[in-house]
Amino acid sequence: MRRTDIIFGILIVAVAGAFAVMSLMMPWYGSEWGIIAAPGLVPLMLSILLLITGLILLLRAVFSKSFYRSLEEQAGDEAAENGCEKQDQSEKLNKEPAWKRIIITIGLAAVYIFILMGRLPYMISTGLYVAGFILAFKGGGIVKSLLIGAVTAVGVWLAFEKIFLVVLP
Amino acid sequence: MSISAFIIEFLKLMTPQTVFNAFWATGFGIIVGMLPGLTATMGVALLTGLTFRFATDQVIVILISVYVGAIYGGSRSAILLNIPGTPANAATCLDGNPLAWAGKAGYAMGLATVSSAIGTFFGLICLAIFSPMLGDIALSFKSWEFFVLAIFGIVICGNLTAPKDPLKGWIAGILGLLLSQIGQESIQAYARFSFGSIDMTGGLSLIPVLVGVYGVSEIIGVMKLPVDYTVRTKVARIIPELKDIFRYWKTIIRSGVIGVIVGAIPGVGEDTAAWISYDFAKRGSKHPEEFGKGSYEGLIASETGNNACIGGAIIPVLTLAIPGSAPAAVLLAAMWLHGIRPGPLLPIEQPQFIATVTAIFFLATISMTLLGLSFVRPLVKVLQVPRNILMPIIFTLCAVGSYAINGRLFDVKLMLLFGVIGYFMRSNDFPAAPLVLGFILGPMADENLRRALILKNGSILPFFTRPICMVLWGMTLLVIISRSPLPGLVKGLFKKNPAKAA
């Protein structure tokens, strides 16, 4: 948690800094009301606020070990008390596969949206995505995956383009 | 709001089309709520896009029914799998699952159904009573008050949705406010942070952002889990005995009140309401030792609390245009999309609307109760569909929902981007609710701050001298100070002094 907070702290400070610079580059005296109606006023205020809170997060992650120790103790107590299954506990057992699954999920979605969608007809791109997903996660063989993909694509097309009158990508 | 207005609006809803829409949408909501990882917010956001071409009155019926159904539906998986279907049902696991293991899964589901129905009913009564009252107060809100209210909303939402580390909640809220500034602003029509892109000039659309943060990130979260879930418990008797409900009338009323109050707080949702209701029920119970081991009272408290929260969350939506919870935020966005302008002027522009919403809630409660008590076994079957088949289908629906509103592929890409951002934020304890609330309140805060400054020639004094502003600043400061290290340091000082004296 401490390490990820350091990474998040750096990212937040960088994003806030970039937004602050871009806000300053907007026209500040372009209207009759001057600075008080400037388009950069609110973004600059928010960027500064984000910068401050990001810095607090970063500095706390670097210097305050006791804070993270108390968080861990608190989490331990809650896990003992709570009857619900904890995602983190199972993740500890299978850390690498979890990351693999995340990358496959995001990767397949990215291929569907950035490569297939808009280039191929909707039903073909959707069918391929669904079949690919099922195959990648071992939900069935090639025939079963393609069949589910085809049924999904036709079903979505029928339901939304024909009944809900929604324009499909 | 008079009872006759409610009855008239309810009778107007009694058309075959409306009743059909209410039933299928509630059923859809129950299924979305049941599936671990998919939340009520996702269900409402998904259907906002998919029903974009429907008539406005039918859209409101569908979205409220999904909302009610999903918050209730999560209790199914909490009882059967010990995994809350939505975060709102986490407290239900504690007593629901032990009851299932004791062979009372069906009975626990019946109790959860009736408690949820009572909770929703309690919420709708409060909605009908308090919305017009708050609406009168809201009429005195001007630009100054709206700006301070937005700040207060973010601070309190960040605080309550990230109880262990409110700093992360506040960061998420400020980030949401900042991201909402992308695109053309309202006073000078200047395109902020658009980098010359036409898509960016139009700003980031709310629905793709919501579907991303609540839908795609949840799909990633579900696929990350190493093992699939399986239903191992049997479902027998379902209809609960009335004595088991009436015995806990005090708990029901207490949980209802807590649910409505928590719901009315901006951005704080059903999960917080359920936990607080559960905690209060345990403290007030004659048998606190039974809690966590299959207590009917615990189950009733959490399910009444989370469903009563729905009515509470709609109160600020209708009166102030500020969402009380994440699903209510989507509902607010859907109303905007369909030309309904909730806020202080709503009772003047559409005087019957509060009665209409209350009547829709009542219809959704009836649908939920009937479906909840009658289709128990078929609905449980949904939990047996493997996630590696269900999730890609849900993803395609998310893509359709995001695309449907503006017909831009940019929105689908935006959905995926926010899904990934939302996933990594949530897995590092940055809550999603303040991000979304910030995204909704951002334009309001921006417009009202600059308008207020223009009106008073740049003077910031009214922000601190107007009575409602003073109250809101006072509460905001109280929240920040209570969660900062300052009170601890002061306490420490007072503790050290007697020791020194001794």
Side-chain angles (χ1 to χ4, degrees), chain B residues 295-308:
Chain B
S295 159
Y296 288 168
E297 195 176 2
L299 179 68
I300 289 169
S302 57
E303 280 304 304
T304 310
N306 62 23
N307 273 68

PDB file of all heavy atoms in Angstrom, chain B residues 295-308:
ATOM      1  N   SER B 295     -28.583 -13.952  12.695  1.00  0.00           N
ATOM      2  CA  SER B 295     -29.650 -13.222  13.386  1.00  0.00           C
ATOM      3  C   SER B 295     -30.647 -12.650  12.372  1.00  0.00           C
ATOM      4  O   SER B 295     -30.263 -11.981  11.411  1.00  0.00           O
ATOM      5  CB  SER B 295     -29.025 -12.078  14.198  1.00  0.00           C
ATOM      6  OG  SER B 295     -29.959 -11.089  14.472  1.00  0.00           O
ATOM      7  N   TYR B 296     -31.938 -12.904  12.607  1.00  0.00           N
ATOM      8  CA  TYR B 296     -32.966 -12.316  11.741  1.00  0.00           C
ATOM      9  C   TYR B 296     -32.900 -10.787  11.826  1.00  0.00           C
ATOM     10  O   TYR B 296     -33.048 -10.087  10.836  1.00  0.00           O
ATOM     11  CB  TYR B 296     -34.365 -12.765  12.177  1.00  0.00           C
ATOM     12  CG  TYR B 296     -34.698 -14.218  11.886  1.00  0.00           C
ATOM     13  CD1 TYR B 296     -35.821 -14.817  12.454  1.00  0.00           C
ATOM     14  CD2 TYR B 296     -33.923 -14.978  11.017  1.00  0.00           C
ATOM     15  CE1 TYR B 296     -36.157 -16.133  12.198  1.00  0.00           C
ATOM     16  CE2 TYR B 296     -34.255 -16.310  10.751  1.00  0.00           C
ATOM     17  CZ  TYR B 296     -35.368 -16.878  11.341  1.00  0.00           C
ATOM     18  OH  TYR B 296     -35.692 -18.177  11.078  1.00  0.00           O
ATOM     19  N   GLU B 297     -32.666 -10.306  13.059  1.00  0.00           N
ATOM     20  CA  GLU B 297     -32.668  -8.868  13.301  1.00  0.00           C
ATOM     21  C   GLU B 297     -31.558  -8.174  12.496  1.00  0.00           C
ATOM     22  O   GLU B 297     -31.770  -7.121  11.894  1.00  0.00           O
ATOM     23  CB  GLU B 297     -32.481  -8.604  14.801  1.00  0.00           C
ATOM     24  CG  GLU B 297     -32.815  -7.183  15.192  1.00  0.00           C
ATOM     25  CD  GLU B 297     -32.709  -6.956  16.699  1.00  0.00           C
ATOM     26  OE1 GLU B 297     -32.335  -7.884  17.433  1.00  0.00           O
ATOM     27  OE2 GLU B 297     -32.997  -5.823  17.118  1.00  0.00           O
ATOM     28  N   GLY B 298     -30.367  -8.800  12.462  1.00  0.00           N
ATOM     29  CA  GLY B 298     -29.239  -8.232  11.712  1.00  0.00           C
ATOM     30  C   GLY B 298     -29.547  -8.154  10.228  1.00  0.00           C
ATOM     31  O   GLY B 298     -29.285  -7.147   9.568  1.00  0.00           O
ATOM     32  N   LEU B 299     -30.134  -9.235   9.720  1.00  0.00           N
ATOM     33  CA  LEU B 299     -30.485  -9.295   8.297  1.00  0.00           C
ATOM     34  C   LEU B 299     -31.528  -8.233   7.956  1.00  0.00           C
ATOM     35  O   LEU B 299     -31.387  -7.485   6.964  1.00  0.00           O
ATOM     36  CB  LEU B 299     -31.028 -10.695   7.971  1.00  0.00           C
ATOM     37  CG  LEU B 299     -31.463 -10.962   6.537  1.00  0.00           C
ATOM     38  CD1 LEU B 299     -30.275 -10.956   5.606  1.00  0.00           C
ATOM     39  CD2 LEU B 299     -32.170 -12.302   6.434  1.00  0.00           C
ATOM     40  N   ILE B 300     -32.551  -8.125   8.824  1.00  0.00           N
ATOM     41  CA  ILE B 300     -33.617  -7.140   8.598  1.00  0.00           C
ATOM     42  C   ILE B 300     -33.047  -5.718   8.642  1.00  0.00           C
ATOM     43  O   ILE B 300     -33.370  -4.878   7.798  1.00  0.00           O
ATOM     44  CB  ILE B 300     -34.746  -7.320   9.650  1.00  0.00           C
ATOM     45  CG1 ILE B 300     -35.519  -8.623   9.367  1.00  0.00           C
ATOM     46  CG2 ILE B 300     -35.688  -6.137   9.675  1.00  0.00           C
ATOM     47  CD1 ILE B 300     -36.479  -9.044  10.471  1.00  0.00           C
ATOM     48  N   ALA B 301     -32.152  -5.466   9.608  1.00  0.00           N
ATOM     49  CA  ALA B 301     -31.591  -4.113   9.763  1.00  0.00           C
ATOM     50  C   ALA B 301     -30.836  -3.687   8.512  1.00  0.00           C
ATOM     51  O   ALA B 301     -31.064  -2.587   7.979  1.00  0.00           O
ATOM     52  CB  ALA B 301     -30.666  -4.075  10.970  1.00  0.00           C
ATOM     53  N   SER B 302     -29.948  -4.551   8.007  1.00  0.00           N
ATOM     54  CA  SER B 302     -29.130  -4.135   6.865  1.00  0.00           C
ATOM     55  C   SER B 302     -29.972  -3.978   5.595  1.00  0.00           C
ATOM     56  O   SER B 302     -29.788  -3.029   4.838  1.00  0.00           O
ATOM     57  CB  SER B 302     -27.972  -5.102   6.639  1.00  0.00           C
ATOM     58  OG  SER B 302     -28.458  -6.406   6.460  1.00  0.00           O
ATOM     59  N   GLU B 303     -30.936  -4.881   5.400  1.00  0.00           N
ATOM     60  CA  GLU B 303     -31.736  -4.802   4.174  1.00  0.00           C
ATOM     61  C   GLU B 303     -32.753  -3.649   4.214  1.00  0.00           C
ATOM     62  O   GLU B 303     -33.027  -3.045   3.183  1.00  0.00           O
ATOM     63  CB  GLU B 303     -32.446  -6.136   3.925  1.00  0.00           C
ATOM     64  CG  GLU B 303     -31.549  -7.182   3.295  1.00  0.00           C
ATOM     65  CD  GLU B 303     -30.911  -6.724   1.979  1.00  0.00           C
ATOM     66  OE1 GLU B 303     -31.647  -6.337   1.075  1.00  0.00           O
ATOM     67  OE2 GLU B 303     -29.675  -6.740   1.882  1.00  0.00           O
ATOM     68  N   THR B 304     -33.283  -3.356   5.407  1.00  0.00           N
ATOM     69  CA  THR B 304     -34.187  -2.202   5.509  1.00  0.00           C
ATOM     70  C   THR B 304     -33.389  -0.921   5.280  1.00  0.00           C
ATOM     71  O   THR B 304     -33.808  -0.026   4.543  1.00  0.00           O
ATOM     72  CB  THR B 304     -34.869  -2.146   6.907  1.00  0.00           C
ATOM     73  OG1 THR B 304     -35.427  -3.421   7.181  1.00  0.00           O
ATOM     74  CG2 THR B 304     -35.958  -1.095   6.969  1.00  0.00           C
ATOM     75  N   GLY B 305     -32.221  -0.851   5.916  1.00  0.00           N
ATOM     76  CA  GLY B 305     -31.384   0.352   5.825  1.00  0.00           C
ATOM     77  C   GLY B 305     -30.973   0.662   4.399  1.00  0.00           C
ATOM     78  O   GLY B 305     -31.125   1.798   3.928  1.00  0.00           O
ATOM     79  N   ASN B 306     -30.470  -0.359   3.665  1.00  0.00           N
ATOM     80  CA  ASN B 306     -29.976  -0.046   2.315  1.00  0.00           C
ATOM     81  C   ASN B 306     -31.105   0.326   1.350  1.00  0.00           C
ATOM     82  O   ASN B 306     -30.936   1.189   0.496  1.00  0.00           O
ATOM     83  CB  ASN B 306     -29.052  -1.143   1.760  1.00  0.00           C
ATOM     84  CG  ASN B 306     -29.704  -2.493   1.584  1.00  0.00           C
ATOM     85  OD1 ASN B 306     -30.910  -2.598   1.451  1.00  0.00           O
ATOM     86  ND2 ASN B 306     -28.897  -3.539   1.575  1.00  0.00           N
ATOM     87  N   ASN B 307     -32.264  -0.282   1.495  1.00  0.00           N
ATOM     88  CA  ASN B 307     -33.349   0.084   0.575  1.00  0.00           C
ATOM     89  C   ASN B 307     -34.035   1.402   0.948  1.00  0.00           C
ATOM     90  O   ASN B 307     -34.481   2.128   0.054  1.00  0.00           O
ATOM     91  CB  ASN B 307     -34.388  -1.043   0.476  1.00  0.00           C
ATOM     92  CG  ASN B 307     -33.995  -2.040  -0.596  1.00  0.00           C
ATOM     93  OD1 ASN B 307     -33.001  -2.753  -0.445  1.00  0.00           O
ATOM     94  ND2 ASN B 307     -34.719  -2.060  -1.707  1.00  0.00           N
ATOM     95  N   ALA B 308     -34.056   1.724   2.260  1.00  0.00           N
ATOM     96  CA  ALA B 308     -34.622   3.026   2.659  1.00  0.00           C
ATOM     97  C   ALA B 308     -33.740   4.153   2.133  1.00  0.00           C
ATOM     98  O   ALA B 308     -34.215   5.259   1.855  1.00  0.00           O
ATOM     99  CB  ALA B 308     -34.731   3.108   4.172  1.00  0.00           C
TER     100      ALA B 308
END
